[in-house]
Amino acid sequence: MTPTIFERIIQREIPATIEYEDDDVIAIRDIAPSAPVHVLIIPKRVITSVDTLDDADAELVGKVFIVARTLARKFGIDASGYRVVTNTNADAGQTVPHIHFHLLGGQPLGRMNSGAERSHAPARSGVLRDAGLIVACAIGLAITFNALNTKSIPWIKKEYERITLDSSEITTYIAPVAPTASPAAEQPTQQQQSTASTATASQPAKEQSTFVPTPGVVREITHAQFKAFLASGPYYLIDARGAEKYAEGHIANAVNFYGGEAEARIPDMLQSVPKDRVILIYCDGGECELSHHVADVLKRFAYGPIFIYTGGWAEWTTKK
Ligand code: 5GP
């Protein structure tokens, strides 16, 4: 069976912020926290959910609660209050099929059972119920279609912070050093055929630069700045458009990570994207949502600096 994301975190294949660990249990910060304190307490043994627990797991589950208490004290939420919950199977919204317990706190958490109360409310009328059913089916079909479609639409439009790079700042992210004859950029880990570009990564550098890591920095850049980065030092170039557009043509050496699937491709990205290079991302141009989706994920995993070429493919094909 394919290992779950939690098994990969336990095996140190994927990074996570570890708050506690012993032979039986690991506790990590949730990647998308629902409260100021949101820690996942995960038994290391491969157990799918509460539903597949054995009697022999009683001690392990007891330990989980002792770890929860210890962490609550560590985070100073023991007196104010906290919640320890575990989701089991689809109706509860379990998304990772490896048993885990959410420790939540740091703010008032509200009541737990509003959803259950709603489902017990008496039905208003048959007509309303049928209409609701039809709408629900239509939404369900749309969600399924969207999920199966490679060009699926991200459901929630996220507002990204859009900061442009001042040209005087370039040397903050790549420090110029003496010219050498070494290549401007090493080949990306996935070698790609280019149909569209004159800028190749194997051209000798006019001026070499050293990489200055700045985790979490995301800046939008112009065509001229993009070209300066291509020419100045090792970079990793990502095309955030869909696979079909990428196949039709892309900038030389670009690797394709579709922005609409950025969350799903986290394991691939962590494996492929190096941390010792400037990361350049482009999509069609304009709002650059697809590029921002990719940048957002990489930023979470402490990549940086990351530069989004806002002109994107549309501008590149006219200017190069
Ligand atoms: P569930 O929905 O199964 O009860 O909870 C799964 C939790 O795992 C979610 O809250 C989700 O944010 C978290 N999660 C999913 N992938 C990762 C990851 O790669 N790293 C971390 N730290 N948490 C993750």
Side-chain angles (χ1 to χ4, degrees), residues 182-188 200-203 205 208 230 233-236 253 277:
S182 57
E186 294 160 31
Q187 298 298 315
T200 66
S202 56
Q203 286 171 353
Q208 263 291 7
L230 289 182
Y235 60 81
Y236 189 85
N253 298 309
R277 299 189 213 171

Side-chain angles (χ1 to χ4, degrees), residues 5-6 9 14-17 28-34 38 40 42 85-88 92-98 100 102 266 270 300-301:
I5 194 95
F6 293 160
I9 287 171
I14 293 179
T17 307
I28 59 167
R29 287 277 187 164
D30 196 290
I31 203 166
S34 306
H38 188 171
L40 301 170
I42 308 167
V85 281
T86 180
N87 295 317
T88 302
Q94 182 179 4
T95 55
V96 181
H98 181 125
H100 54 281
H102 299 255
I266 287 175
L270 296 182
R300 255 191 274 147
F301 288 97

Side-chain angles (χ1 to χ4, degrees), residues 152-183:
S152 60
I153 307 157
W155 288 103
I156 300 165
K157 187 171 159 61
K158 196 168 168 182
E159 287 300 324
Y160 289 107
E161 199 186 12
R162 301 186 60 173
I163 308 175
T164 49
L165 177 72
D166 189 299
S167 282
S168 63
E169 282 183 278
I170 288 189
T171 49
T172 312
Y173 303 112
I174 44 165
V177 293
T180 71
S182 57

Side-chain angles (χ1 to χ4, degrees), residues 24 32 59 78 94 100 107 136 152 165 187 194 207 218 223 238 241 243 245 275 280 301 305 317:
D24 306 313
E59 197 179 324
D78 46 332
Q94 182 179 4
H100 54 281
Q107 68 180 29
S152 60
L165 177 72
Q187 298 298 315
S194 169
E207 184 185 287
V218 178
H223 176 259
I238 297 177
R241 300 172 303 150
K245 285 191 180 176
K275 281 209 161 145
L280 305 170
F301 288 97
T317 47

Side-chain angles (χ1 to χ4, degrees), residues 37-315:
V37 175
H38 188 171
V39 177
L40 301 170
I41 304 167
I42 308 167
K44 288 186 175 174
R45 198 178 307 158
V46 178
I47 302 169
T48 313
S49 70
V50 167
D51 199 45
T52 56
L53 280 171
D54 280 339
D55 292 355
D57 295 322
E59 197 179 324
L60 178 64
V61 175
K63 187 172 201 179
V64 164
F65 281 86
I66 298 300
V67 171
R69 183 210 58 193
T70 306
L71 288 173
R73 287 179 187 168
K74 173 175 160 184
F75 287 108
I77 55 169
D78 46 332
S80 52
Y82 55 93
R83 181 174 287 156
V84 181
V85 281
T86 180
N87 295 317
T88 302
N89 295 342
D91 277 1
Q94 182 179 4
T95 55
V96 181
H98 181 125
I99 192 167
H100 54 281
F101 298 75
H102 299 255
L103 168 66
L104 297 150
Q107 68 180 29
L109 297 168
R111 284 167 61 84
M112 273 287 294
N113 55 353
S114 52
E117 278 167 359
R118 261 201 312 278
S119 69
H120 289 301
R124 298 276 180 281
S125 75
V127 175
L128 270 180
R129 196 181 50 225
D130 291 350
L133 211 61
I134 291 166
V135 171
C137 285
I139 293 171
L141 278 172
I143 290 171
T144 311
F145 177 78
N146 191 54
L148 296 176
N149 190 337
T150 53
K151 289 182 186 163
S152 60
I153 307 157
W155 288 103
I156 300 165
K157 187 171 159 61
K158 196 168 168 182
E159 287 300 324
Y160 289 107
E161 199 186 12
R162 301 186 60 173
I163 308 175
T164 49
L165 177 72
D166 189 299
S167 282
S168 63
E169 282 183 278
I170 288 189
T171 49
T172 312
Y173 303 112
I174 44 165
V177 293
T180 71
S182 57
E186 294 160 31
Q187 298 298 315
T189 46
Q190 283 171 261
Q191 194 63 43
Q192 306 294 343
Q193 294 288 319
S194 169
T195 58
S197 172
T198 54
T200 66
S202 56
Q203 286 171 353
K206 291 190 187 82
E207 184 185 287
Q208 263 291 7
S209 304
T210 52
F211 172 73
V212 181
T214 40
V217 164
V218 178
R219 297 283 182 268
E220 292 191 345
I221 55 172
T222 63
H223 176 259
Q225 290 169 335
F226 179 61
K227 286 196 84 168
F229 278 119
L230 289 182
S232 62
Y235 60 81
Y236 189 85
L237 178 59
I238 297 177
D239 182 323
R241 300 172 303 150
E244 283 169 26
K245 285 191 180 176
Y246 174 82
E248 282 165 19
H250 55 264
I251 300 176
N253 298 309
V255 175
N256 188 215
F257 285 113
Y258 173 46
E261 293 170 350
E263 293 290 333
R265 305 246 358 232
I266 287 175
D268 298 341
M269 284 202 256
L270 296 182
Q271 210 159 33
S272 308
V273 185
K275 281 209 161 145
D276 61 350
R277 299 189 213 171
V278 162
I279 295 165
L280 305 170
I281 313 178
Y282 70 94
C283 51
D284 287 315
E287 289 278 306
C288 300
E289 280 205 347
L290 294 174
S291 298
H292 274 287
H293 291 328
V294 172
D296 200 39
V297 163
L298 293 174
K299 179 179 167 179
R300 255 191 274 147
F301 288 97
Y303 282 88
I306 301 165
F307 298 107
I308 295 176
Y309 167 37
T310 49
W313 182 246
E315 184 181 63

